[in-house]
Amino acid sequence: MNMKIIDKFKAYINNNGYKKVVYNLIAVIIICIIGLITLDTFFPRSVKNSTNTTIKENNDDVWKSNYQDTAEVKLKQILNQIKGVGEVEVMITYETSTEVVPALNVTKSSQITEEKDSQGGTRTTTQNDSSENVVMTNQNDNLVVIKEIKPQIRGVVVVAEGAGDIKIKLEIIEAVRTIFQIPAHKVMVYEKK
């Protein structure tokens, strides 16, 4: 089968001439290159913008996990200090993630144009332009944050030694309620094995 294809190609070259075949091949290669450049220009790959998105998602994940880890560690430390409470494990679930409000560089401009026509009429045109850019630090291209809104807590689960005693269990619930300002039904306390 390969021999048939090669024989057909040789016959095509002999019939059309060597130069014409080479010119046709060069033309096809040039058209393919132009097509690839055009395709990349009009339909850019999402890889170019994925870096900024990945950085933003990673920053959100870091802020979220830092807040969650810090809250859980601090709660464990506080609960370990309660008399009668032994080893403690804590899990906090959230309604939403941490919301970060970045600093924005806002540019606003306004242009008023008055035109008079030949009949004495006046036409006023107002053009307002506004643009917002997120402010980044020069060092690591991190966002400049104005404020960080902490997520709402959905619930807290505490597993503690000594939680079998109802008095200690109530003290743990009160401590969690006071720290996070949440109702008692969002706090579950269980005795550790």
Side-chain angles (χ1 to χ4, degrees), residues 122-167:
T122 305
R123 182 175 74 187
T124 304
T125 306
T126 304
Q127 181 179 356
N128 294 319
D129 291 325
S130 176
S131 67
E132 293 180 349
N133 295 320
V134 177
V135 179
M136 306 286 275
T137 61
N138 290 337
Q139 296 160 340
N140 296 330
D141 286 335
N142 290 331
L143 292 172
V144 175
V145 178
I146 294 175
K147 69 179 175 177
E148 189 175 329
I149 301 169
K150 303 296 183 205
Q152 289 185 336
I153 294 176
R154 178 181 295 156
V156 179
V157 174
V158 178
V159 179
E161 290 178 351
D165 183 359
I166 192 71
K167 182 180 178 221

